[in-house]
Amino acid sequence: AGRRRLEQTDATMLDCREELEGEYAEMLTRVGSLLDGEDDFVSAMATVACELHHAFEHYNWTGFYRSDGKSMLLVGPYQGSHGCLRIPFGKGVCGVAASSKVTQFVSDVHSFPGHIACSSRYLLNRHSKLGMTTFGD
């Protein structure tokens, strides 16, 4: 019986993953259409943040930080609760992603050494975070 439950759980997780992949694919198509011909980087970031945030109800903060060209991230376009206005490279999930140039996926931000709680909402619940670096010309 335990093995059957495990197989059912695996099948359910696969169904959820396939559904989520489909939702991301639909969102990417929408974003592609919205950004077609757009050449303003800030407008593009604002559009992506909005589309991601409203496409997935479990997101409570969706947005971008921009590098000051030295050693600081500055909050960019975002949706949701407060973002930190400035994050030093190497601090918190986003700062570590920026300094290491490696995507950081953290399933529980409270267990991340040096996590920065930009909003009091982060103090109340367990949250995951994805910090990615992007590079522009």
Side-chain angles (χ1 to χ4, degrees):
R3 184 177 180 97
R4 170 170 255 162
R5 262 188 251 131
L6 184 60
E7 289 171 356
Q8 288 173 336
T9 301
D10 287 346
T12 301
M13 287 175 61
L14 183 60
D15 288 345
C16 289
R17 181 178 175 179
E18 289 173 353
E19 181 179 332
L20 190 58
E21 287 175 356
E23 290 175 16
Y24 275 108
E26 288 175 22
M27 188 272 311
L28 282 172
T29 299
R30 279 195 312 275
V31 167
S33 295
L34 290 166
L35 296 181
D36 187 33
E38 180 57 59
D39 62 359
D40 182 75
F41 196 60
V42 174
S43 296
M45 288 189 294
T47 299
V48 170
C50 182
E51 283 299 312
L52 275 170
H53 191 76
H54 293 285
F56 303 100
E57 64 185 40
H58 57 279
Y59 288 2
N60 74 17
W61 192 93
T62 312
F64 294 89
Y65 282 98
R66 303 167 293 112
S67 171
D68 68 354
K70 300 172 189 162
S71 61
M72 189 71 64
L73 294 174
L74 309 172
V75 72
Y78 72 92
Q79 300 270 315
S81 61
H82 296 288
C84 293
L85 297 179
R86 295 175 179 266
I87 299 176
F89 279 26
K91 302 292 182 187
V93 176
C94 294
V96 168
S99 64
S100 67
K101 298 180 182 176
V102 174
T103 297
Q104 305 291 308
F105 178 76
V106 179
S107 60
D108 180 0
V109 294
H110 300 297
S111 67
F112 188 85
H115 169 248
I116 302 169
C118 298
S119 167
S120 60
R121 291 184 68 182
Y122 283 106
L123 301 175
L124 303 175
N125 299 310
R126 178 177 173 236
H127 295 281
S128 60
K129 186 176 276 189
L130 176 65
M132 299 171 57
T133 57
T134 59
F135 303 94
D137 294 336

